[in-house]
């Protein structure tokens, strides 16, 4: 059970990272519009676009 | 497979047979997309407005579901949508600095952002087109669509491309645009929404983690756990629990504190008591390493309450929207006549007293004034509710917002901007809305009793157990507070209302707030407007007695006039496509219209004369006795008789009126059955009002005709002052002030935007039957609230009794609370409020031009069943 002393901090780090990512997305306004992005997904990319 | 021939299913265009209609949706195919090569071949002659429609049509016909088009034909009773105007000068006013100041937001580098509401947007292809097409124009930097509210935000440089060109471009591909209202408040709301979502995210994360620690601790309770690890997890729970209470949970403490300061007790007070006591006891117990902790229940409570609040607030979005009331009624541009006789287009706000403006046929009058040159008919329905146009000659006053129907006139301006009658009406509306008293919600009233009850119970427990064992006493008192926490009230009651409102929105009844449902559950007085609410709202031929062969000829002659009576006669004769064709084929010459009288002309080989009885007599035609009797009868009913004479002989008599809707009589009877007193208030003549009242079943004594908007407001205020619960149903600008003053204001389908702002409910379906549905749903919703309340009260009493006797272990108490909440939630969600089984498609819901924010209701429908 002494693994708990390693597992707990790791779990905390993971949870904090997830929460931080969530808050960052919220702040950037990604959750403002939940209806249009699913429709935008159906559009094709322009041909010949290289990233 | 059932194959339906293509020309049998194409929806018949009514008023404009020459334009090409899309074979699937029936809307106009833009000229640039008509595929001429297809028409020449032997293949199908179907045209489509977009690829989406082409695919949909192919899919529907190959699956053998071609009956879809037949059914759609039958349900399609809307007149041709007036959205496709065609005149490119319509958007010229978008370039005025006034307009840009009001509707655009400056960005960096000389760019501005404009938000437009777009019609006809309904699929992913539309989104793609609207985001790509403006971007291909030089000067446009970005174009983003928001389906919620059908909005398009474009970032562009006004120096490179004027806004009117962009608007025309969008309209030419089939997407007419209108300016969006309330851009600034939307920014504020976006910030608030994000903060709320952040709170919920944090509360959820904390709750999940505390639950996991609780899992460990419960397991340890049953199988045993080493003290070191138990202490570890208890301390971790405490840290996260306190974080949950002081972070996302702070909003409840603040709300409870402000309510205590105002000497009233709202629902947050008992919840806060539970949170506070549970939190403090949990901390104390952890530090002293004894007893129970409650952080898992408390953090779950915080999370669920925040989610409930979020759903509630999303619905009340409509209430806080600012609406540019005045800007809608009066036109933005006016044609001012210069001293040398030339006309120039200027913004309407720059008009001064004694300026002379020219109002063309079809235009709205830009300011209050007096006619100096010209004779015409003016439609003042938007201001006074009069269904018949008024004749205006030099010397007569006209008002801003009225529509000039027949001929151009020159008007000398007497009042502009805030001094016009329309502006004063709007000010009354705005005042009425802001002064509306906040109804003390049912749940708030119950809350005060709860606080008293739970405090007494907790004190009693403490005192009872102190004599036995002090530490146990503290434990039991805490359990008591947690077990009797009225979280059900905070969750279930709002949720019942939220679900009812969401279902109502899908049935075309858009409700602004839950207090509407509460207010409508008990009967009171319902005040109905006549024109547009009880009646169709437009002139129609009620009856015709005479030679039926002349109907098409009469219609052909009346096509030369834009008077509402003429349109009614044309519509009456255009009952089938063959007759429409016949009317068009007839040749008309020498048509001469006399204002206030009628029209004469030669149709085919016959000389026709149509008009009022006096006009026809003055042309030298004599009517028989029975025709005179028909005319008298029509006048007695409050209708307008129109006499048709051909080739020297009076051939027929039309009775023109505004007929009552087919469902009005049944709806009024239903209202009376439910205990409501029904009154009618109308701007129209008393005789016309009485005729309609008799048709629908309203007592003569309760009919008030010839009421100006100010008088309507006075009547509603008098009823409200007498202590009556008043529901006002209306549609025009002339009803807006009265709607704001009523306890519940209901704006009817196709109402003016001003009445939408003042109303609490908007009906997206025509007629009065949605009102009856709303009343039924309100009483059912309130019953659901009562049932959940009594059920939870019963549970609380039983649990409190058991806790008092010490039979409930605090841990069990902590478990029971979420269980009871979940049961009540399940009841709330499944309770039958609006009847979803009968068909009721809201007409143009979410896309209606007069209600740009109707899309605000869409998220609620997605979240809740």
């Amino acid at each position: 059970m002494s693994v708990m002393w390693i597992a707990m901090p790791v779990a905390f780090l993971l949870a904090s990272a997830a929460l931080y990512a969530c808050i960052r997305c919220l702040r950037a306004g990604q959750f403002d519009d939940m209806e249009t992005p699913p429709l935008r997904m159906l559009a094709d990319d322009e041909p010949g676009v290289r990233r | 497979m059932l194959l339906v021939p293509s020309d049998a299913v194409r929806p018949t265009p009514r008023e404009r047979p020459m334009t090409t209609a899309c074979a699937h949706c029936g809307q106009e195919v833009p000229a640039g997309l008509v595929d001429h090569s297809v028409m020449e071949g032997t293949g199908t002659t179907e045209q489509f407005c977009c690829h989406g429609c082409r695919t949909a049509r192919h899919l529907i016909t190959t699956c053998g579901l071609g009956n879809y088009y037949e059914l759609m034909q039958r349900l399609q009773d809307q007149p041709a949508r007036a959205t496709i105007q065609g005149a490119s000068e319509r958007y010229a006013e978008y370039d005025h600095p006034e307009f840009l100041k009001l509707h655009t937001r400056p960005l960096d580098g000389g760019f501005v952002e404009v938000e437009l509401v777009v019609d006809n947007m309904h699929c992913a292809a539309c989104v793609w087109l609207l985001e790509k097409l403006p971007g291909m124009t030089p000067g446009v930097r970005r174009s983003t669509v928001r389906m919620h509210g059908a909005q398009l935000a474009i970032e562009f440089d006004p120096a490179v491309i004027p806004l009117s060109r962009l608007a025309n471009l969008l309209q030419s591909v089939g997407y007419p645009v209108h300016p969006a209202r309330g851009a600034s408040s939307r920014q504020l709301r976006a910030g608030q929404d994000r903060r709320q979502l952040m709170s919920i995210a944090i509360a959820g994360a904390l709750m999940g983690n505390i639950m996991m620690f609780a899992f460990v601790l419960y397991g340890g309770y049953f199988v045993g756990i080493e003290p070191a690890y138990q202490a570890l997890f208890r301390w971790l729970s405490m840290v996260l629990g306190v974080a949950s209470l002081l972070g996302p949970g702070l909003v409840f403490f603040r709300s409870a504190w402000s309510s205590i300061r105002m000497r009233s007790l709202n629902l947050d007070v008992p919840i806060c008591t539970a949170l506070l006591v549970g939190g403090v006891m949990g901390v104390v117990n952890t530090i002293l390493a004894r007893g129970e902790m409650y952080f898992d229940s408390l953090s779950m409570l915080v999370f669920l309450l925040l989610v409930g609040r979020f759903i509630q607030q999303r619905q009340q979005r409509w209430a806080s929207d600012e609406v540019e009331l005045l800007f809608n009624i009066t036109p933005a541009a006016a044609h001012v006549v210069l001293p040398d006789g030339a006309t120039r287009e200027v913004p309407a706000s720059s008009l001064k007293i004694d300026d002379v403006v020219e109002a063309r046929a079809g235009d709205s009058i830009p300011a209050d004034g007096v006619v100096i040159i010209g004779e015409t008919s003016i439609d003042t329905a938007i201001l006074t509710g009069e269904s018949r146009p008024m004749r205006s000659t030099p010397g007569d006053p006209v008002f801003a917002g009225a529509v000039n129907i027949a001929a151009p006139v020159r008007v000398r301006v007497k009042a502009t901007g805030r001094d016009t009658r329309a502006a004063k009406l709007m000010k009354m509306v705005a005042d009425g809305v802001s002064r509306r008293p906040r109804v003390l919600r049912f749940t708030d009233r119950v809350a005060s009793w709860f606080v008293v009850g739970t405090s007494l119970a907790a004190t009693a427990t403490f005192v009872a157990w102190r004599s036995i064992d002090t530490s146990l006493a503290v434990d039991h008192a805490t359990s008591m507070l947690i077990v009797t926490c009225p979280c059900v009230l905070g969750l279930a009651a709002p949720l019942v209302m939220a679900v009812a409102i969401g279902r109502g929105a899908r049935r075309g009844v858009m409700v602004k707030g839950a207090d509407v449902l509460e207010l409508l559950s008990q009967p009171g007085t319902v005040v109905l407007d006549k024109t547009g609410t009880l009646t169709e709202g437009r002139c129609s031929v009620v009856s015709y007695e005479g030679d039926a062969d002349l109907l098409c000829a009469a219609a052909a002659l009346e096509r030369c006039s834009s008077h509402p009576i003429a349109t009614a006669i044309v519509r009456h004769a255009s009952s089938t496509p063959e007759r429409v064709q016949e009317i068009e084929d007839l040749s008309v010459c020498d048509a001469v219209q006399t204002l206030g009288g009628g029209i004469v002309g030669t149709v085919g080989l016959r000389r026709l004369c149509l008009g009022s009885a006096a006009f026809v007599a003055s042309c030298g035609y004599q009517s028989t006795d029975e025709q005179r009797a028909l005319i008298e009868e029509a006048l007695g009913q409050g209708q307008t008789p129109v006499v048709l004479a051909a080739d020297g002989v009076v051939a027929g008599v039309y009775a023109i009126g505004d007929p009552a809707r087919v469902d009005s009589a049944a709806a009024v009877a239903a209202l009376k059955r439910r205990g409501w007193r029904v009154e009618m208030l109308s701007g129209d003549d008393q005789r016309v009002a009485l005729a309609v009242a008799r048709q629908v079943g309203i007592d003569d004594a309760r009919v008030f005709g010839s009421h100006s908007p100010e008088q309507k407001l006075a009547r509603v205020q008098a009823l409200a002052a007498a202590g009556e619960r008043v529901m006002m149903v209306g549609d025009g600008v002339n009803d807006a002030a009265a709607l704001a003053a009523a306890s519940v204001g209901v704006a009817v389908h196709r109402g003016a935007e001003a009445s939408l702002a003042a109303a609490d409910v908007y009906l997206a379906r025509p007629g009065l039957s949605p009102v009856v549905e709303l009343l039924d749903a309100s009483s059912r919703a309130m019953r659901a609230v009562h049932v959940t309340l009594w059920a939870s009260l019963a549970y609380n009493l039983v649990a409190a009794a058991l806790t008092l006797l010490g039979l409930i272990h605090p841990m069990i108490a902590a478990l029971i609370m979420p269980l009871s909440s979940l049961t009540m939630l399940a009841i709330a969600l499944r309770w039958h409020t609006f009847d979803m089984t009968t068909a009721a498609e809201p007409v143009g819901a979410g896309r209606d031009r007069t209600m740009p924010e109707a899309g605000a209701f869409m998220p609620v429908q997605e979240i809740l069943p």
Side-chain angles (χ1 to χ4, degrees):
Chain A
M1 272 302 267
S2 54
V3 70
M4 200 54 65
W5 300 107
I6 303 173
M8 288 300 305
V10 172
F12 258 128
L13 276 171
L14 286 174
S16 322
L19 191 60
Y20 172 71
C22 184
I23 302 227
R24 235 183 89 164
C25 288
L26 272 172
R27 279 237 174 88
Q30 291 184 25
F31 286 94
D32 284 348
D33 184 5
M34 304 282 276
E35 290 146 29
T36 326
L39 294 172
R40 263 193 219 117
M41 193 180 73
L42 297 172
D44 291 332
D45 280 339
E46 318 274 275
V49 171
R50 299 264 178 263
R51 289 262 163 238
Chain B
M1 262 211 270
L2 184 69
L3 288 175
V4 187
S6 56
D7 40 326
V9 303
R10 186 177 311 142
T12 316
R14 300 265 227 125
E15 258 111 286
R16 275 177 299 197
M18 282 307 141
T19 57
T20 320
C22 173
H24 174 71
C25 63
Q27 290 175 1
E28 192 185 10
V29 177
L33 294 178
V34 173
D35 194 349
H36 292 285
S37 61
V38 174
M39 289 169 104
E40 277 152 26
T42 53
T44 168
T45 56
E46 295 168 347
Q47 298 290 331
F48 299 97
C49 63
C50 69
H51 195 65
C53 284
R54 183 191 299 274
T55 316
R57 167 102 178 172
H58 178 74
L59 186 65
I60 289 174
T61 44
T62 52
C63 287
L65 298 169
N67 275 326
Y68 164 77
Y69 293 105
E70 258 179 36
L71 289 169
M72 199 176 76
Q73 182 86 347
R74 254 186 266 146
L75 293 174
Q76 216 177 42
D77 66 309
Q78 306 172 38
R81 285 180 72 108
T83 51
I84 303 179
Q85 298 272 347
S88 58
E89 42 200 72
R90 191 178 158 230
Y91 290 120
E93 57 188 39
Y94 283 25
D95 294 326
H96 282 299
E98 295 284 331
F99 185 92
L100 290 174
K101 202 162 58 145
L102 205 54
H103 287 106
T104 62
R105 202 167 54 98
L107 302 170
D108 58 293
F111 282 87
V112 299
E113 187 193 36
V114 67
E115 290 204 12
L116 299 167
V117 173
V118 181
D119 286 348
N120 302 344
M121 180 159 63
H122 46 250
C123 67
C126 304
V127 172
W128 178 84
L129 182 66
L130 288 169
E131 291 194 337
K132 291 273 183 288
L133 190 61
M136 285 163 31
T137 321
V140 174
R141 186 164 71 179
R142 222 176 93 156
S143 175
T144 326
V145 167
R146 260 176 27 132
M147 283 297 274
H148 176 126
Q151 279 165 15
L152 177 63
I154 305 184
E155 289 177 25
F156 69 105
D157 188 349
V160 176
I161 177 168
L163 183 54
S164 57
R165 266 249 301 276
L166 273 175
N168 276 313
L169 170 68
L170 291 170
Q171 193 210 43
S172 64
V173 286
Y175 297 102
V177 298
H178 317 281
R181 318 273 178 222
S184 54
S185 71
R186 211 165 289 122
Q187 301 294 97
L188 236 126
R189 269 210 311 265
Q192 273 174 0
D193 278 352
R194 282 184 207 160
R195 273 193 294 277
Q196 252 191 326
L197 280 175
M198 272 198 281
S199 274
I200 293 179
I202 296 176
L206 290 171
M207 172 188 95
N209 283 302
I210 295 177
M211 291 286 195
M212 288 203 274
F213 297 146
F215 210 63
V216 174
L217 290 170
Y218 284 138
Y221 181 76
F222 287 112
V223 281
I225 180 171
E226 281 178 45
Y229 291 112
Q230 192 186 39
L232 168 69
F233 284 109
R234 284 172 70 108
W235 279 86
L236 283 172
S237 296
M238 182 190 85
V239 167
L240 292 187
V242 168
S244 171
L245 286 179
L246 294 180
L250 203 61
V251 67
F252 297 110
F253 291 112
R254 259 189 255 139
S255 156
W257 180 241
S258 60
S259 118
I260 289 179
R261 268 206 317 209
M262 288 202 297
R263 313 292 187 83
S264 76
L265 295 170
N266 74 358
L267 205 53
D268 286 333
V269 174
I271 291 177
C272 274
T273 326
L275 288 177
L276 202 56
V277 172
V280 166
M281 286 313 299
V283 170
V284 165
N285 284 353
T286 311
I287 294 176
L288 296 180
R290 60 163 219 82
E292 289 302 319
M293 299 183 316
Y294 312 96
F295 293 114
D296 46 353
S297 320
L298 296 179
S299 59
M300 192 198 74
L301 183 63
V302 168
F303 175 69
L304 285 180
L305 285 174
L306 282 176
V307 170
R309 229 159 265 240
F310 180 70
I311 294 179
Q312 243 183 310
Q313 275 179 11
R314 272 297 170 99
Q315 283 169 1
Q316 288 169 340
R317 232 355 107 64
W318 188 22
S320 60
D321 265 337
E322 47 175 280
V323 174
E324 304 293 331
L325 298 175
L326 187 56
F327 194 79
N328 282 332
I329 305 172
T330 53
H335 301 275
V336 80
V337 177
L338 301 168
D340 58 1
T343 56
R344 197 173 56 151
E345 197 175 311
V346 298
S349 47
S350 65
L351 288 173
K352 288 181 285 297
I353 300 191
D354 283 338
D355 276 349
V356 175
V357 291
E358 179 171 283
R360 301 180 186 158
D363 281 353
S364 297
I365 315 268
D368 285 359
V370 176
V371 178
I372 49 174
I373 300 177
E375 266 188 33
T376 182
S377 297
I378 307 262
D379 181 2
T380 52
I382 199 173
L383 282 176
T384 61
E386 272 274 343
S387 54
R388 283 173 294 195
M390 286 186 341
R391 174 118 173 275
S392 290
T393 50
D396 287 338
V398 290
F399 297 108
V403 178
N404 180 13
I405 299 178
V409 284
R410 297 227 172 144
V411 174
R412 187 179 297 281
V413 174
K414 290 290 172 212
T416 63
R418 306 238 167 265
D419 300 322
T420 59
R421 189 165 170 213
K424 293 202 184 112
L425 264 178
M426 290 306 99
K427 183 153 186 323
M428 279 197 298
V429 173
D431 284 345
V433 172
S434 62
R435 249 189 297 119
R436 185 181 282 146
R438 254 212 48 138
V439 165
L440 191 61
R441 304 251 297 279
F442 172 69
T443 47
D444 288 343
R445 273 178 285 156
V446 172
S448 32
W449 286 104
F450 243 89
V451 173
V452 173
T454 54
S455 315
L456 281 177
T459 325
T461 321
F462 187 75
V463 164
W465 280 87
R466 204 161 73 97
S467 46
I468 302 175
D469 182 351
T470 316
S471 65
L472 264 182
V474 170
D475 270 343
H476 286 299
T478 315
S479 311
M480 175 64 80
L481 276 172
I482 293 195
V483 144
T484 55
C485 171
C487 53
V488 166
L489 277 182
L491 282 172
L495 211 59
V496 166
M497 299 301 194
V499 171
I501 291 179
R503 288 201 189 124
R506 260 182 297 166
R507 290 190 62 78
V509 179
M510 322 275 198
V511 178
K512 252 196 210 179
D515 27 353
V516 167
L517 296 178
E518 217 180 303
L519 280 166
L520 291 181
S521 55
Q522 298 292 327
T525 307
V526 54
V527 177
L528 299 169
D529 174 47
K530 179 184 78 70
T531 316
T533 310
L534 282 170
T535 67
E536 302 276 340
R538 56 181 183 184
C539 285
S540 276
V541 173
V542 176
S543 68
Y544 172 73
E545 299 278 342
D547 197 347
D549 296 331
L550 289 171
L551 281 176
C552 288
L557 181 60
E558 288 285 14
R559 265 160 51 112
C560 308
S561 166
S562 55
H563 199 275
I565 290 184
T567 352
I569 292 179
V570 174
R571 212 173 39 236
H572 176 245
S574 312
S575 44
T576 70
E578 291 85 27
R579 295 182 71 135
V580 173
Q581 198 55 45
E582 195 186 320
I583 293 173
E584 289 202 0
D585 289 340
L586 284 168
S587 62
V588 179
C589 35
D590 304 331
V592 174
Q593 202 183 129
T594 310
L595 271 173
I599 188 170
V600 291
T602 312
V603 179
L605 295 170
R606 284 186 281 230
R607 180 107 188 119
L608 285 186
C609 174
L610 264 169
S612 64
F615 175 76
V616 173
S618 70
C619 290
Y621 300 91
Q622 293 297 333
S623 32
T624 66
D625 285 336
E626 55 179 66
Q627 282 161 346
R628 260 190 289 261
L630 281 170
I631 293 172
E632 282 309 314
E633 193 186 315
L635 284 172
Q637 296 263 340
Q639 291 158 359
T640 311
V642 172
V643 181
L644 166 63
D647 295 333
V649 161
V650 172
V653 177
Y654 289 91
I656 310 266
D658 189 7
R661 288 184 200 270
V662 289
D663 61 344
S664 291
V668 169
L671 285 170
K672 282 191 183 166
R673 259 204 312 273
R674 282 165 181 70
W676 288 79
R677 286 170 289 282
V678 184
E679 279 191 16
M680 186 206 284
L681 273 183
S682 174
D684 223 341
D685 189 59
Q686 175 75 356
R687 260 193 325 189
V688 184
L690 278 171
V692 175
R694 283 185 202 127
Q695 267 186 307
V696 296
I698 301 180
D699 295 331
D700 285 355
R702 294 195 183 278
V703 176
F704 302 93
S706 309
H707 264 46
S708 69
E710 293 84 356
Q711 283 170 312
K712 284 194 185 187
L713 171 64
R715 173 83 194 143
V716 169
Q717 278 173 335
L719 281 170
E724 289 273 335
R725 194 180 298 232
V726 184
M727 171 167 66
M728 165 90 192
V729 183
D731 66 335
V733 167
N734 57 328
D735 299 315
L739 282 173
S743 318
V744 175
V746 179
V748 172
H749 180 59
R750 287 193 191 283
E753 198 156 330
S755 62
L756 294 181
D760 303 293
V761 180
Y762 168 66
L763 302 178
R765 273 156 48 208
L768 276 182
S769 29
V771 176
V772 180
E773 269 185 47
L774 177 62
L775 292 180
D776 284 342
S778 302
S779 46
R780 278 192 223 123
M782 279 314 287
R783 214 174 312 143
V785 171
H786 283 278
V787 164
T788 44
L789 178 64
W790 286 111
S792 72
L793 207 59
Y795 148 78
N796 275 339
L797 283 174
V798 168
L802 290 176
T803 313
L804 197 60
L805 297 172
L807 290 172
I808 295 204
H809 193 274
M811 188 193 75
I812 311 278
L815 265 175
I816 289 186
M817 197 179 79
L819 270 177
S820 77
S821 310
L822 287 171
T823 332
M824 297 305 165
L825 279 179
I827 296 179
L829 284 172
R830 299 305 305 163
W831 196 271
H832 173 67
T833 47
F834 274 90
D835 189 1
M836 304 300 289
T837 51
T838 58
E841 256 319 300
V843 178
R847 307 282 175 256
D848 219 306
R849 182 272 192 260
T850 50
M851 179 135 163
E853 289 294 306
F857 292 92
M858 290 194 328
V860 180
Q861 297 164 41
E862 254 75 77
I863 296 172
L864 300 165

